[in-house]
Each structure stands twice: as structure tokens, then as C-alpha cells.
Amino acid sequence: MSESSTLPLHMRRVEFGPDPELGALRDGEGIRRVSTPLGIDAWLVTRYEDVRTVMGDAERFSTAWRGGIRLPGVMELSEEERAELRAGNLLAFDPPEHTRLRRMLTPEFTIRRMRRLEPRVTRIVEEHLDAMERAGSPADLVSSFALPVPSLVICELLGVPYADREDFQRTTSRLLDVSAPPAERMAMQRESRAYMAELVARAQADPGEELLGMLVREHGDDLTASELVGIGSLLLLAGHETTANMLGLGTLALLRHPEQLELLRKEPERIDAAVEELLRWLSIVHSGTSKVTTTEVELSGHTIGPGEMVMCALPTANRDPALLSDPEALDITRSAPHVAFGHGVHHCLGAPLARMEMRIAFPALLQRFPELRVTGPEADFRSFQAIYGLASLQVAW
């Protein structure tokens, strides 16, 4: 069986871009009923404006309300177990519950707070580049740079022992693998929460200066232990997987577009625009959270009844010809809007951190290794991962 026949449509890629069938859907009917890895059907929305509508309207498109929907693999869970697994996960709630949780975290991810972190992130980037240089060419950019840099940053920010990284990265990888059996992914979710529960208990006993300790000190009366576990688990997963895949895939994209790479190397002041264009062009998060309609809605001329699941195809939305001219081109000189971080109340909380890490890491890598090039086997794209990226990237300099 071919990969395209087993991968859900919204996850199908041709290297950096969405599968042509997805682009044809966007440019044609715009929305279609599809099967999902969850074992149920959903409406797949592909156009930029429709995606913004779905993501921006939490009343008509709910993250929390599931009505009669029961997902295969979690049928056997009691309501109490389901509530326990959802506790603290901001992606599983609508306002006002989502607002209550997010309000406690927002101060830790402001641009001002990120500026205070910049010197430490710069040191982490330089230390890993030093280690790459000492080990010598060639190297796997993913395992030596793209993955460890954001992993160390989020570990220090949260208060997670960096020595545990191999275990939590293994768990995360299986949890996000849509080809894994639902029972195995559920087991990984439980394992991840059990690990975080130990860290939360330590923070409750002796709260430090890290984010978990801050939550215990400042909001210990407002958050249950389960909510602390859910918050920590989500931030740990999102904090290393997303930026790691952007660094690996973004480097390959620049190496495949030498004129863009050279422009960024000569004019590093373009880095902010370059980061936004890479976010738009790569769209490593395929869909964001699925929604369920709470009432009858209309999108692209299609009427969707209440209680229906809706998913968003972010790669096609970010390459929508209605959004910008020549959307298939990677062009770091432009400033185009995008939904790579989502939109609305669930817009990525960690976006300032991710942007800061990329703004530091890409120029440092390119300046350190002016002759950086891909070598060895073809790039290993991780097709079945809920967050798109590379398993490895062999480079030389």
C-alpha cells in the first residue's frame, strides 16, 4: 500500500509543500468530507479565509464540545479518565476555561520575557555550534543542532531535567505518529503525563524559579495537580518538537534555495521576515486542533450541520493564491500573513519563544558554516508525524 493511500489527506506532502490533491481541493470546491486518523469523518477546510473563520470563532467551532462523538481507542475510558487526560491541556478547552488557564501562562511568553531569555538562548546555540565544529564534518544537523537546542531551552524554561530528553523525545515521537495504533499512542500519553506528574510533585514540594515552580507559587491554589501536569506536558511537547522541526526543515529549505540563503547571509537584518516566510512556506503543523460545529454553518458554499468535525489544512491556507502572489515561491523579502501559529484564542502561546529561537539559530548556523551543504543520503522527511519535519539531515562544511 502506498504512503499516499494510508496518510490522511491533510498530512500528505511532496517534500516542503502540500500534496497537489490538496492544492486542487483548495482551488476547486475548497472543502471536502474526508476520513481522519481518529477513525471518524471530518470536513477538511483548505482556504485561508475559511481557516481563519474556523479558528477564530470558538462559539460556532468548538474545541471542547464533542457531543456524541466518541473516538476509537478511547471508547473504554471512563468520563473521569477522559477528564484527567484533558486536564490542563489548553488545546482541549474553549473560553472561559481556556482563558482561565492561558491567563496564568501568558506573562511567561511575552516579548519582554523573551528578550530576557535571549542571552541564554544565544549561548545554547553557540555551545552546540562549537560542539558541531569540534566533532567535525559531516554531521546530522537534526541530532546535533536542530533538536537539542530547543529541547534544552524548553527544559530550562520549564524546569525539566535535560538528562531525561531521550525518554521524553521517544515518547513524544510515538505519541505524534499517526501510524501508531491508538492504544499505543494512548499508552504514550499516559507515560508522558506520569513523567510530568513526578516533576509537578517535586515542584510542589520545592518550587524553583522555573515555569513549573512559578505556577505552583503563584497559582497553586487555582490549579489542580492534574492541570499542572497537563500544562507542563503540552509545553514540553510543543516547546521542542515544533522549533526543532522548523530549524531542520528550514535549513534544508534555505540550502535548496541558495539565492535566498545567500541573501540572508549577506543581509542578516532580514531574519525576521525570513522566519515568517519559512513559517508560512513550511507550515510544519498540518492542521491545528480539530473543531466541532455547535450550530449549522456555511463555508465555501457548503452547509455543515451541528455536531460535525472540522479540520483545517494549514499548508494550503498558507499557500492560498488569494492570500499573496506567487505563493509557491520561497521569498524572504516579502511580508505575508500566515496561520502557521494558528489563529484566534488558540494562537500558539509559545510563538514569541519559537520566533526568538529561530531568529538566533538560523543566522548563527549560516555564519559559522559558510560552506554548509547537504551530503549523504536524501533528506529523511517524517511523513506520519503530526508535526512535519526531518528525522535526520546529513550536512557537511
Side-chain angles (χ1 to χ4, degrees):
M1 188 178 290
S2 70
E3 184 177 283
S4 63
S5 64
T6 56
L7 262 178
L9 179 59
H10 73 278
M11 291 179 64
R12 293 181 202 166
R13 302 277 187 137
V14 178
E15 294 201 336
F16 304 108
D19 186 284
E21 184 181 350
L22 267 170
L25 172 58
R26 177 200 58 216
D27 299 338
E29 55 195 315
I31 180 172
R32 181 190 300 170
R33 194 108 158 128
V34 298
S35 58
T36 73
L38 302 172
I40 57 177
D41 288 343
W43 291 94
L44 183 62
V45 176
T46 58
R47 293 175 181 162
Y48 179 78
E49 283 303 326
D50 286 344
V51 165
R52 280 177 58 91
T53 296
V54 172
M55 290 185 156
D57 188 342
E59 290 190 6
R60 293 191 302 156
F61 300 93
S62 169
T63 297
W65 188 74
R66 287 290 179 260
I69 292 177
R70 283 292 177 264
L71 306 180
V74 298
M75 296 284 288
E76 70 283 3
L77 295 183
S78 67
E79 287 297 331
E80 292 76 15
E81 286 176 304
R82 268 194 281 268
E84 180 75 12
L85 288 173
R86 290 174 68 236
N89 181 355
L90 278 75
L91 300 180
F93 293 98
D94 297 322
E97 182 64 10
H98 171 271
T99 310
R100 178 183 76 88
L101 293 169
R102 186 164 176 135
R103 189 180 293 129
M104 301 178 201
L105 292 167
T106 301
E108 295 302 306
F109 291 93
T110 60
I111 294 174
R112 180 183 300 173
R113 173 80 167 116
M114 291 306 107
R115 288 201 185 104
R116 294 210 305 271
L117 285 175
E118 272 196 36
R120 177 59 185 145
V121 174
T122 299
R123 284 197 303 275
I124 289 171
V125 166
E126 292 298 332
E127 286 165 4
H128 282 81
L129 291 174
D130 290 344
M132 278 180 66
E133 198 163 21
R134 283 195 305 271
S137 175
D140 177 6
L141 188 77
V142 173
S143 62
S144 60
F145 185 73
L147 183 55
V149 166
S151 294
L152 182 52
V153 170
I154 197 65
C155 281
E156 291 192 0
L157 184 64
L158 270 178
V160 173
Y162 186 58
D164 295 345
R165 65 190 181 280
E166 287 188 9
D167 283 338
F168 71 66
Q169 286 166 0
R170 171 190 56 81
T171 304
T172 298
S173 181
R174 291 304 285 164
L175 180 60
L176 296 176
D177 185 350
V178 299
S179 68
E184 183 181 343
R185 295 177 71 191
M186 182 63 66
M188 293 299 102
Q189 186 174 355
R190 287 194 175 109
E191 185 178 324
S192 173
R193 288 186 69 95
Y195 168 70
M196 188 56 65
E198 293 179 13
L199 299 184
V200 165
R202 282 186 226 166
Q204 288 174 320
D206 182 20
E209 295 303 310
E210 300 86 356
L211 201 149
L212 283 177
M214 179 279 293
L215 287 172
V216 169
R217 280 196 317 276
E218 298 185 15
H219 304 288
D221 294 335
D222 306 315
L223 291 168
T224 66
S226 292
E227 287 176 328
L228 285 166
V229 168
I231 290 170
S233 297
L234 176 63
L235 293 179
L236 179 59
L237 182 155
H240 77 272
E241 273 287 333
T242 49
T243 308
N245 286 313
M246 275 300 303
L247 290 176
L249 207 56
T251 299
L252 179 61
L254 290 170
L255 290 172
R256 293 269 188 91
H257 295 78
E259 75 291 345
Q260 299 292 305
L261 184 147
E262 195 56 31
L263 179 60
L264 182 57
R265 187 177 272 135
K266 287 182 177 176
E267 302 177 23
E269 65 273 13
R270 292 187 182 273
I271 186 58
D272 288 337
V275 164
E276 298 307 311
E277 177 68 350
L278 286 167
L279 285 163
R280 178 197 73 82
W281 199 70
L282 296 172
S283 299
I284 61 165
V285 178
H286 301 288
S287 64
T289 54
S290 58
K291 312 286 185 182
V292 176
T293 52
T294 60
T295 185
E296 184 176 279
V297 297
E298 184 171 310
L299 291 171
S300 288
H302 290 72
T303 300
I304 303 174
E308 298 269 18
M309 184 170 281
V310 179
M311 298 183 72
C312 296
L314 303 189
T316 53
N318 282 334
R319 295 187 181 210
D320 192 336
L323 176 64
L324 73 168
S325 61
D326 198 13
E328 297 297 325
L330 177 66
D331 180 1
I332 67 169
T333 67
R334 64 175 151 203
S335 177
H338 61 76
V339 284
F341 284 125
H343 177 64
V345 297
H346 289 290
H347 182 272
C348 177
L349 177 71
L353 176 62
R355 284 185 166 111
M356 184 257 285
E357 290 179 279
M358 287 186 278
R359 194 179 69 243
I360 293 169
F362 280 126
L365 175 68
L366 299 179
Q367 293 297 333
R368 179 69 67 97
F369 302 119
E371 302 300 319
L372 190 70
R373 62 190 183 278
V374 177
T375 186
E378 286 293 307
D380 186 3
F381 292 90
R382 305 196 315 166
S383 300
F384 283 89
Q385 291 286 313
I387 300 174
Y388 192 57
L390 298 171
S392 63
L393 179 63
Q394 295 295 319
V395 295
W397 56 87

